[in-house]
Amino acid sequence: MLDDQLKQQLSSYLQLLQQPVVFTLDAGDSANGTKVRDFLNEVAALSPKLSIAEGHLKRQPSFTLDAQGAAPSGITFAGIPLGHEFESFVLALLQVSGHAPKISEKVRQQIEAIDQDLHFETFASLSCHNCPDVVQALDIMSLLNPRITHTMIEGGMFQDEAEANDIMAVPTVFLNGEEWHNGRATLEQLVNKAQGKAALAAVNDDVSDKLYDVLIVGGGPAAGSAAVYAARKGLSTAVVADHIGGQPLETVGIENLIGTDYIEGEQLMQNIRAQMTKYHVTLIDGQTVTGLTEGSPVQVQLKGDTTLQGRTVIIATGAHWRNIGVPGEAEYKNKGVAYCPHCDGPLYKGKNVAVIGGGNSGVEAAIDLAGIAKHVSVLEFGPKISADAVLVAKAQSLDNVDLITNAQTTSIKGDGRVNGLTYTDRATGDSKSLSVDGVFVQIGLVPNTSWLSDCLDMDKQGEIIVNEKGATSLANVFAAGDCTNSAYKQIIISMGSGATAALGAFDALAREVTVKA
C-alpha cells in the first residue's frame, strides 16, 4: 500500500508523535476493508506509538484517530487517505498526538466558542487539490471542540453513497445530514460560516494598515513570478488572492516548462509559494478583491470592507473556464457538469462521459478520464482536433476514447443529474445524442477582470491591455498573465509577464522624484 519512499517520509513524521495514537478500525468484510486494514497495519508498523483497535463505526471501512487515554478527537477517515489526502492524514496524526494546530488565537477562540453539535462529512477524491484545505480545516475544528466531529469520505471507495447523495463534484460537505458547502475554503471561512457569519477570512490590522511598494492581486504563476522579482529588488511586496495556486492546480502534469522535464501543477505552485516565503512576501489568502481605485497610493478593496494600499499594483488574476452557455449547463453544474477532471474524475469510475473541447486541455482531460471512465467522447466544434499532435496520437491510441469533430453542443440533459447531451453535426446539420453521466467543459478561458468594471482599458474579451513593460492605462497599475491581452495563455508566458510587470513597477518607483519646499 505504501511504497518505500512514502514509508521513509512517513517514518520521519512519526518521530514527531508526542502521545501514543490509537486507530479504531471498522473494516467490514469487503475487499476495500482489507485494503484499509493493510494500510493501517503498514502505518502502525512504523512507530511503537501507533496501535490498532477494533470498533463499530458508521461506515465500513473507516477508522478514527484518538490519543491513547484521551477523549475522542472526532476525526474519522472513511477510505484510504492517500493521494492529496495523505497530508491530511499525517497532520491529523500529529495534531491528535499533541501538536497544536498552527492557527491564530482568534480563530482558536472562535472554534472553541461554538456551542452546538456540528457533525461534518466531506466527500473528497484523492486526486482533488481543493479537498485537503477543507478536510484539514474541519479536522482542526473537530480536534479543538468536542461538540464537532468530521469524517472524510473517499468518494471513489464510497461511490454508491456519493451517487445516492447526488454528489458529482468535490469537495462537498454535509452538516448534520444536509448539504452545506461545495468547493475550496479556508479554515477562517468555514469557521465563520459555521457561526452563521459571512464566509470571509480575516485580514489582520498589521497587514491592512501597511503601505506596500508592490501589491499583487492574484495567486497563480504570474503573481508568484512578479512577487519574487519585486521582493528580490528589495521592495516590500504582498500578494492577495482567494487562493494561492491559480490554474496550475488543475493541471496534473506540466511537460513544456523549459528546463523542467515534468512537474505536477500543485508541486510547481508549492515551489513558488515556498520561494515567495523565502523572500518574505506577505501572503494574504482567502480574500475576494472587489475593486481598484486610482491614486497615490493605489487602493485595492476587498470583500468585507477591507482596503489594501500599494505604491504600485500588479493585477495577475488569471482566468477561469469558459461556460458553453447551453440549456442544462447551469442547472446540472456539480450534478454531472464539471470543469476539473482531476478533482471530479474519480466520481465517474466506470461511467460514460463527454469532454467539450478538442484543444490541449480537452484532450489532456480525455486521456486522464480514459483510465477511470468506461468511455470518453471528445466533442470539438471545429473541423479538426486542435490539440498538440502528441496528445492527439495518445488519445487516438486509447480504445475507450472517441474524437468527434464539427460537433456543436446544443443541450445537456438530465433528471436531477446529467444523463445525456445533444449536439449538431456541423458538416451535415444532423442532431445527435450521447448517453453520458458527466460532461467536462474545456473550451478555453475567460479573464478574471469583471471586478475592475471600467476603471482601466480592456479589449472586447475583457482582457487588460498592457504595454511592453506590463503597464496598464492607470498610473502605477500593471498587469500580467492570462488576465491580459497576451497572445498566448501558457504558464511559462505568465511567469515571464509577471517578471516584466515587477520590473516595470520597480522602474516606476525608481523614477519617482520627491520635491521638497
Side-chain angles (χ1 to χ4, degrees):
M1 194 66 63
L2 301 175
D3 60 32
D4 291 340
Q5 183 179 3
L6 205 55
K7 284 183 179 179
Q8 185 176 1
Q9 292 174 351
L10 182 56
S11 294
S12 64
Y13 287 121
L14 295 180
Q15 293 177 15
L16 303 175
L17 293 174
Q18 294 183 352
Q19 301 295 326
V21 175
V22 179
F23 300 114
T24 300
L25 169 66
D26 188 349
D29 55 5
S30 68
N32 283 333
T34 300
K35 292 178 182 178
V36 174
R37 185 182 297 278
D38 290 345
F39 167 77
L40 288 183
N41 282 332
E42 290 188 37
V43 172
L46 298 176
S47 172
K49 289 186 177 181
L50 298 177
S51 60
I52 302 173
E54 301 295 325
H56 297 286
L57 303 176
K58 179 178 178 180
R59 291 177 180 83
Q60 298 79 39
S62 64
F63 63 93
T64 61
L65 304 81
D66 301 300
Q68 191 172 40
S73 69
I75 298 172
T76 302
F77 288 93
I80 304 176
L82 288 174
H84 289 293
E85 290 305 333
F86 187 68
E87 180 183 355
S88 302
F89 171 70
V90 173
L91 284 174
L93 260 179
L94 294 176
Q95 291 166 0
V96 167
S97 79
H99 287 273
K102 295 181 180 180
I103 62 175
S104 70
E105 185 59 29
K106 177 182 178 181
V107 173
R108 176 184 289 274
Q109 291 173 358
Q110 281 183 279
I111 295 171
E112 293 174 343
I114 294 175
D115 60 356
Q116 54 184 318
D117 294 328
L118 304 178
H119 303 295
F120 294 104
E121 296 173 316
T122 302
F123 284 84
S125 73
L126 303 184
S127 58
C128 172
H129 54 269
N130 292 323
C131 295
D133 288 349
V134 173
V135 170
Q136 292 165 26
L138 295 175
D139 281 350
I140 289 172
M141 292 172 65
S142 301
L143 191 66
L144 296 179
N145 190 319
R147 301 193 68 169
I148 301 174
T149 65
H150 176 233
T151 299
M152 187 285 291
I153 305 167
E154 200 272 286
M157 187 170 286
F158 289 86
Q159 190 171 11
D160 290 345
E161 184 176 355
E163 290 183 2
N165 285 284
D166 286 333
I167 295 168
M168 308 301 289
V170 289
T172 294
V173 181
F174 282 72
L175 171 58
N176 297 336
E178 300 293 330
E179 191 168 328
W180 181 73
H181 177 81
N182 300 95
R184 177 191 291 269
T186 64
L187 171 63
E188 293 84 356
Q189 290 170 330
L190 292 171
V191 170
N192 284 341
K193 188 172 182 177
Q195 291 182 317
K197 303 175 182 178
L200 295 172
V203 179
N204 295 332
D205 290 341
D206 61 338
V207 170
S208 60
D209 291 345
K210 187 174 180 179
L211 173 61
Y212 298 97
D213 292 326
V214 180
L215 177 60
I216 301 165
V217 183
S225 175
V228 169
Y229 265 74
R232 282 176 56 86
K233 287 292 187 181
L235 304 175
S236 61
T237 305
V239 170
V240 57
D242 56 357
H243 69 278
I244 304 297
Q247 282 288 321
L249 293 183
E250 299 182 12
T251 304
V252 171
I254 301 168
E255 298 178 301
N256 58 359
L257 193 62
I258 307 307
T260 301
D261 186 59
Y262 177 87
I263 190 170
E264 293 187 355
E266 183 179 26
Q267 184 61 59
L268 173 66
M269 294 314 301
Q270 286 177 353
N271 293 350
I272 291 175
R273 182 170 188 141
Q275 199 169 19
M276 288 192 289
T277 301
K278 172 185 175 181
Y279 290 112
H280 307 292
V281 174
T282 299
L283 303 180
I284 311 170
D285 207 351
Q287 302 301 320
T288 299
V289 178
T290 59
L292 178 77
T293 303
E294 182 183 13
S296 182
V298 182
Q299 309 281 328
V300 173
Q301 290 81 40
L302 308 183
K303 186 176 181 181
D305 298 326
T306 297
T307 298
L308 303 177
Q309 302 179 90
R311 295 172 65 198
T312 62
V313 166
I314 298 175
I315 301 168
T317 46
H320 61 275
W321 292 115
R322 184 183 303 277
N323 294 327
I324 49 178
V326 300
E329 180 182 21
E331 179 182 356
Y332 295 111
K333 185 177 181 181
N334 295 332
K335 298 299 180 183
V337 174
Y339 300 84
C340 181
H342 315 304
C343 295
D344 302 330
L347 298 174
Y348 296 85
K349 182 178 180 180
K351 298 182 181 298
N352 296 323
V353 300
V355 175
I356 310 300
N360 283 350
S361 296
V363 176
E364 285 174 350
I367 293 169
D368 290 338
L369 290 166
I372 301 169
K374 180 180 179 181
H375 190 271
V376 183
S377 300
V378 177
L379 277 66
E380 162 59 35
F381 183 85
K384 64 178 292 185
I385 300 296
S386 57
D388 292 346
V390 64
L391 294 175
V392 176
K394 174 63 175 177
Q396 290 174 333
S397 73
L398 300 173
D399 292 338
N400 63 336
V401 174
D402 284 340
L403 303 179
I404 305 171
T405 57
N406 280 318
Q408 180 178 358
T409 304
T410 53
S411 68
I412 298 173
K413 306 293 185 180
D415 56 358
R417 64 170 66 183
V418 168
N419 60 21
L421 65 77
T422 60
Y423 70 94
T424 298
D425 184 329
R426 298 176 59 241
T428 65
D430 295 337
S431 179
K432 299 185 177 182
S433 298
L434 288 177
S435 179
V436 294
D437 300 291
V439 177
F440 289 83
V441 180
Q442 304 278 290
I443 59 168
L445 300 170
V446 177
N448 295 321
T449 57
S450 60
W451 61 279
L452 289 165
S453 300
D454 299 321
C455 69
L456 47 70
D457 292 346
M458 291 185 273
D459 62 20
K460 62 182 181 180
Q461 284 80 36
E463 298 172 333
I464 302 168
I465 298 173
V466 296
N467 68 8
E468 69 279 1
K469 293 185 177 182
T472 72
S473 59
L474 294 184
N476 295 325
V477 178
F478 299 78
D482 288 357
C483 65
T484 71
N485 61 332
S486 60
Y488 304 105
K489 313 303 182 185
Q490 296 288 314
I491 291 173
I492 194 168
I493 293 173
S494 292
M495 287 179 169
S497 66
T500 297
L503 294 174
F506 173 76
D507 188 50
L509 292 171
R511 292 174 183 275
E512 284 185 351
V513 178
T514 300
V515 180
K516 296 184 179 180

